[in-house]
Amino acid sequence: PVQMDNLPKITKIASGTYRPYMLSATGDLYNCGLVWWVPGQTSSAILTRLTTPTIMKSNIFKMDANGDFGVLLDNNNKPYSLRTGSNFAAVPAIAEPIQQVQCGNYFEVYLDWRGHVWTVGNNSSGQLGLGESTGYSTSTPVEVPGLENIVSIAAAQNAVIALDADGAIWAWGSNGFGQLGIGGGGNSNV
């Protein structure tokens, strides 16, 4: 192992396919590796190689990453998304403040302060939890129906689990290896 130089105190880390995400105690998000966008760049679809950690966005207090996706939550509970070929863009259509963000394989999950869950992205295995058939994507977050009083979310490769205030676990998405804990091996789109 080799220590990265010239970084402030880092409080959270996550990893994308070719890049780490490092969040400092002061709310600066650092990246290095292959990134789709760097501050000051005019086009967002140019793959850039950063060989030293670079501040990508400030005033961030939560983040997660998986594959080519990254999600951020700023100090005002406003979510931002980094998708393949784009810079960090504000997430549309969620009126409520967000308390938690998670990233799966080409999909994102948001938990608002009312305890409702929102998903956006690829639905290849029912991981959006919308009760509809798989094989489509959405670019606008949609509220997952039937969930209330959720206090925590976690996204896996193509599945999601949610914990409600009563301690019950809700699961949906890919279940090829039984990872949803619902028996059988079929996917669940809720």
Side-chain angles (χ1 to χ4, degrees):
V2 178
Q3 182 176 351
M4 287 186 193
D5 292 329
N6 303 318
L7 281 170
K9 180 179 179 184
I10 299 297
T11 58
K12 181 161 170 87
I13 57 174
S15 184
T17 302
Y18 298 108
R19 73 200 60 81
Y21 292 80
M22 300 159 282
L23 185 60
S24 75
T26 59
D28 291 327
L29 178 74
Y30 289 81
N31 272 145
C32 55
L34 288 177
V35 297
W36 283 103
W37 176 82
V38 293
Q41 186 172 302
T42 57
S43 174
S44 63
I46 299 172
L47 195 58
T48 302
R49 183 173 169 244
L50 298 176
T51 59
T52 59
T54 301
I55 295 175
M56 303 300 281
K57 194 152 183 69
S58 295
N59 299 315
I60 302 301
F61 84 99
K62 290 186 180 178
M63 56 101 186
D64 193 33
N66 188 328
D68 285 336
F69 276 37
V71 290
L72 311 173
L73 199 53
D74 73 10
N75 292 332
N76 296 314
N77 298 314
K78 184 175 182 179
Y80 291 85
S81 173
L82 174 66
R83 298 178 186 148
T84 302
S86 71
N87 60 7
F88 289 102
V91 175
I94 302 177
E96 297 294 323
I98 300 298
Q99 65 170 308
Q100 189 182 355
V101 293
Q102 288 284 288
C103 220
N105 188 32
Y106 297 105
F107 74 101
E108 302 155 15
V109 186
Y110 300 91
L111 175 61
D112 71 25
W113 282 100
R114 295 178 307 148
H116 294 202
V117 177
W118 300 75
T119 56
V120 62
N122 184 319
N123 194 45
S124 61
S125 300
Q127 64 266 41
L128 298 185
L130 304 178
E132 300 174 8
S133 62
T134 60
Y136 71 92
S137 296
T138 178
S139 59
T140 302
V142 179
E143 188 174 346
V144 177
L147 293 178
E148 294 183 358
N149 301 315
I150 301 300
V151 297
S152 185
I153 54 173
Q157 188 76 4
N158 290 315
V160 179
I161 60 172
L163 172 66
D164 73 18
D166 294 327
I169 298 289
W170 300 83
W172 61 93
S174 176
N175 192 38
F177 300 100
Q179 61 267 45
L180 298 183
I182 59 173
N187 295 343
S188 170
N189 55 16
V190 176

